[in-house]
Amino acid sequence: MDYQITIALPGQASQQISLPCGAYLVGRGVDCPIRLKDSSVSELHAKLILAPAGAWIEDVGSSNGTLVNSSPITGSVQLSPSAIVSVGNTIFRVSPKQPCEASTVTPSPRPEPPTPVPATPQKVTPPAPQPAPTPPTPEVNPRDLAIQRDIKSQIHNELVRRLDLKRLSSGVTPEELARRVRETLQAILKEVTDRNALPRNIDPEALLTEIYDESIRLGPVERFLADETVTEVMINGPSQVYVERNGRLTLTDQTFMDDASVLAVIERIVAPLGRRIDESQPYVDARLADGSRVNAIIPPLSLIGPCITIRKFAKRILTTEDFVRFGTWTPAIAAFLNACVKLRKNIIVAGGTGSGKTTLLNVLSGFIPSTDRILTIEDAAELRLAQPHVVRLEARPPNIEGKGAVTIRDLVRNALRMRPDRIIVGECRGSETLDMLQAMNTGHDGSLTTVHANTPRDVISRLETMVLMSGVDLPSRAIREQIASAVQIIVQEARLSDGSRKIIAISEITGMEGPQIVMQDLFLFQQTGVDSNGKIVGTLKPTGAMPTFFENFAQHGIALDPLLFTPEG
């Protein structure tokens, strides 16, 4: 039989809808077939089951419960034709309308957790056995996420009611705060489980950890920071958390409770660094304690809520052997670049976003002799060098009055007065490029930096453009002469379609020919195919060109086999 649902919304005339046998979610969310636009109704509030044997209602973890005839319900409750169901401030009544085909729904005293409900009503039948999914990560159901988020929000609100977290965080030690929060959460969860108000598909211990992390730590981020297979974490508002594994993006089942929770995580990241984020400064670059890079942006610039992007760094410093194992370079390429660094050649690492420029820069920096005084200059300090004599400088954004900013260009200029043997700039992206080129041309050989560019030839154009951003009126020829005399090697890195990061070209700038800069490719990546796992197969091969400075290696006692530059027959 079909059923007639009579709904009375606050301040509105009652309405009637007719539904066939089936299972329907009731709530304020857009995915609910029975949608109640009432602020007192949770996003997912209850599940209504209509079957020939009768109608049942079940609360699915709402914030203020579901009532039948003014009595709160636990589990599944059968509805009589005269029963009045209260969902928030909305009430409705369910009565049979006409017979329909028999259904196999037999609600149990404690039904299983809510299952995904299609937008169009369907008969409720036992789920047919399905083959195991082929993707490594299970599909995330938005309704299940909404239920979990709603439950987390209720428990978190109760935690805030019992503990004034803001007052506690400034009045007690971190250890004492952590102890109090954990004890209070355990008490709240025990009360919830004792009255069977927690859906079976939610693990109480996992829920406690999530709320604890979100209350005083970095929320769902904590789990992924500890996972060594995750290289990047992307939080798109409170309801979406993506991670990158093996170069592939995956939507996770982790969520935040609301925008305020994401904002709280951002504050915990940027506050120890003396940085801020608010409506007047709605985006910020920062870093975590382990050196991982963080970018955050909030409304009104972000239309989906606060967003956080974390580029994770490996727990340990990567080595030449790691890059060989990853396929980023070969032992021969590592030997050549090692020799170039020791010969004090100025090197630019180029590549697109996420191609691994900073990681490669860190490995190249490891080739610098331990006797050199090294200065690193970055927007957010990420480089980790093992040498004993390293001075790390970090740019500073303006304060709340818009004053006190210290730019990369300021730091490059100041570095010249600090007697550096090597200057390493995390990334040249603006007017500091002119000062970096001048430093390379005035006795600071062996400097390293990165540039966003897709090819070695594009690096020249980018450098020219960024020099012009300095506001100094220089003719193009003068700029190119500066570049040609300052830069010797360009290492081009790319992120390939399979997610791997590889060096795809190593080029040398040989000088000027008329108004143009002359370059020669020393090594180029040649793809030979794709293996059964979808991984690109290829290697970085010599072009046959010999570096113009090859003889300098022997003069400085650096042994390098000339066959390294000979193409394979």
Side-chain angles (χ1 to χ4, degrees):
M1 55 184 167
D2 285 357
Y3 283 84
Q4 181 172 285
I5 318 295
T6 304
I7 302 174
L9 292 163
Q12 300 180 28
S14 62
Q15 55 178 308
Q16 293 184 341
I17 58 174
S18 181
L19 294 174
C21 301
Y24 303 88
L25 286 175
V26 181
R28 196 175 70 248
V30 294
D31 293 325
C32 294
I34 303 178
R35 188 181 182 193
L36 306 176
K37 298 180 180 179
D38 176 8
S39 60
S40 65
V41 177
S42 298
E43 188 173 353
L44 292 180
H45 201 111
K47 182 168 73 171
L48 179 65
I49 300 174
L50 306 178
W56 284 261
I57 189 76
E58 173 195 355
D59 190 89
V60 292
S62 63
S63 58
N64 49 9
T66 301
L67 285 69
V68 174
N69 295 329
S70 302
S71 299
I73 65 170
T74 57
S76 183
V77 174
Q78 188 168 9
L79 301 176
S80 66
S82 60
I84 296 176
V85 181
S86 300
V87 177
N89 294 328
T90 301
I91 61 173
F92 64 87
R93 179 177 294 168
V94 180
S95 55
K97 188 176 181 183
Q98 60 184 17
C100 67
E101 296 180 12
S103 169
T104 58
V105 173
T106 52
S108 59
R110 181 174 177 81
E112 292 300 312
T115 55
V117 179
T120 55
Q122 293 183 354
K123 292 179 185 178
V124 179
T125 56
Q130 297 292 330
T134 51
T137 304
E139 211 174 290
V140 180
N141 187 288
R143 295 186 180 91
D144 290 343
L145 291 181
I147 291 174
Q148 187 170 0
R149 190 162 61 247
D150 201 42
I151 293 172
K152 284 169 61 178
S153 178
Q154 296 173 52
I155 296 176
H156 183 266
N157 290 339
E158 181 63 18
L159 174 67
V160 172
R161 190 184 69 80
R162 298 188 187 187
L163 289 177
D164 187 344
L165 293 180
K166 285 190 176 181
R167 180 181 58 81
L168 277 178
S169 60
S170 59
V172 300
T173 63
E175 294 76 15
E176 176 66 14
L177 174 64
R179 184 187 65 78
R180 292 192 191 182
V181 169
R182 186 169 288 277
E183 288 178 354
T184 306
L185 278 175
Q186 288 172 340
I188 295 171
L189 275 172
K190 186 177 185 303
E191 295 171 11
V192 172
T193 52
D194 285 349
R195 63 173 187 264
N196 294 324
L198 195 67
R200 288 183 181 179
N201 63 335
I202 295 180
D203 180 9
E205 284 301 318
L207 185 63
L208 184 147
T209 301
E210 288 179 20
I211 300 174
Y212 172 81
D213 286 343
E214 207 161 321
S215 299
I216 62 174
R217 300 175 73 189
L218 300 183
V221 176
E222 292 284 347
R223 165 184 168 186
F224 301 119
L225 291 178
D227 187 345
E228 293 189 4
T229 65
V230 174
T231 54
E232 201 148 359
V233 183
M234 287 142 281
I235 299 165
N236 307 331
S239 58
Q240 276 191 343
V241 178
Y242 280 85
V243 297
E244 181 189 68
R245 288 188 177 92
N246 301 318
R248 303 291 184 183
L249 294 182
T250 306
L251 176 64
T252 71
D253 60 352
Q254 298 295 301
T255 61
F256 286 81
M257 288 174 286
D258 48 33
D259 286 357
S261 298
V262 187
L263 281 170
V265 169
I266 297 173
E267 287 290 345
R268 293 186 198 114
I269 293 173
V270 303
L273 303 176
R275 303 199 174 196
R276 64 186 179 88
I277 188 165
D278 49 41
E279 286 191 5
S280 62
Q281 180 66 40
Y283 56 88
V284 67
D285 287 315
R287 55 181 164 79
L288 300 179
D290 64 356
S292 297
R293 181 193 308 172
V294 180
N295 174 268
I297 186 166
I298 64 173
L301 300 188
S302 170
L303 303 182
I304 61 171
C307 297
I308 308 174
T309 307
I310 301 176
R311 177 82 53 81
K312 278 183 59 182
F313 269 27
K315 297 295 182 185
R316 63 182 181 85
I317 299 176
L318 296 180
T319 64
T320 299
E321 292 72 23
D322 292 323
F323 269 29
V324 172
R325 190 172 70 253
F326 298 155
T328 302
W329 63 20
T330 63
I333 299 301
F336 170 66
L337 291 176
N338 187 352
C340 288
V341 172
K342 289 180 177 174
L343 197 58
R344 303 183 67 88
K345 294 300 176 184
N346 295 321
I347 300 175
I348 290 182
V349 178
T353 300
S355 59
K357 299 185 298 298
T358 305
T359 305
L360 177 56
L361 181 67
N362 207 88
V363 174
L364 292 179
S365 302
F367 296 147
I368 298 175
S370 59
T371 54
D372 286 0
R373 174 176 167 87
I374 307 167
L375 265 69
T376 67
I377 302 171
E378 303 171 84
D379 263 330
E382 302 172 61
L383 296 173
R384 293 180 292 175
L385 276 65
Q387 289 88 337
H389 199 166
V390 179
V391 178
R392 305 175 73 200
L393 305 179
E394 184 178 59
R396 186 178 70 185
N399 59 22
I400 196 167
E401 290 86 18
K403 300 178 181 179
V406 179
T407 66
I408 293 289
R409 187 176 191 185
D410 297 329
L411 294 178
V412 172
R413 287 175 173 175
N414 187 76
L416 301 180
R417 304 182 182 94
M418 297 177 67
R419 199 264 178 214
D421 289 312
R422 311 268 188 154
I423 298 175
I424 302 175
V425 177
E427 182 181 342
C428 280
R429 63 181 72 177
S431 58
E432 67 274 3
T433 305
L434 175 60
D435 299 282
M436 185 67 185
L437 291 175
Q438 289 179 329
M440 291 175 172
N441 274 320
T442 54
H444 298 90
D445 299 329
S447 297
L448 307 172
T449 188
T450 69
V451 169
H452 273 87
N454 295 323
T455 66
R457 177 57 65 178
D458 286 345
V459 172
I460 306 301
S461 301
R462 283 276 295 156
L463 291 175
E464 252 189 279
T465 302
M466 290 188 292
V467 167
L468 293 173
M469 292 170 64
S470 66
V472 179
D473 189 13
L474 290 173
S476 294
R477 184 179 179 88
I479 297 174
R480 291 171 187 169
E481 287 174 350
Q482 285 268 342
I483 296 171
S485 61
V487 182
Q488 286 85 48
I489 295 293
I490 297 174
V491 181
Q492 184 71 43
E493 193 170 16
R495 178 177 171 181
L496 305 183
S497 58
D498 62 352
S500 62
R501 296 167 172 88
K502 298 182 185 294
I503 294 175
I504 60 171
I506 298 178
S507 303
E508 178 195 6
I509 294 180
T510 58
M512 294 281 294
E513 194 171 281
Q516 298 299 323
I517 292 177
V518 180
M519 303 174 62
Q520 64 172 357
D521 293 327
L522 303 178
F523 300 91
L524 291 174
F525 180 78
Q526 293 183 10
Q527 181 177 339
T528 56
V530 179
D531 66 14
S532 58
N533 296 320
K535 292 291 185 182
I536 290 176
V537 179
T539 187
L540 197 61
K541 295 185 176 181
T543 62
M546 186 81 72
T548 57
F549 52 83
F550 181 78
E551 293 180 356
N552 294 345
F553 290 127
Q555 294 171 5
H556 288 77
I558 301 172
L560 198 65
D561 189 349
L563 294 178
L564 176 67
F565 306 97
T566 304
E568 298 176 0

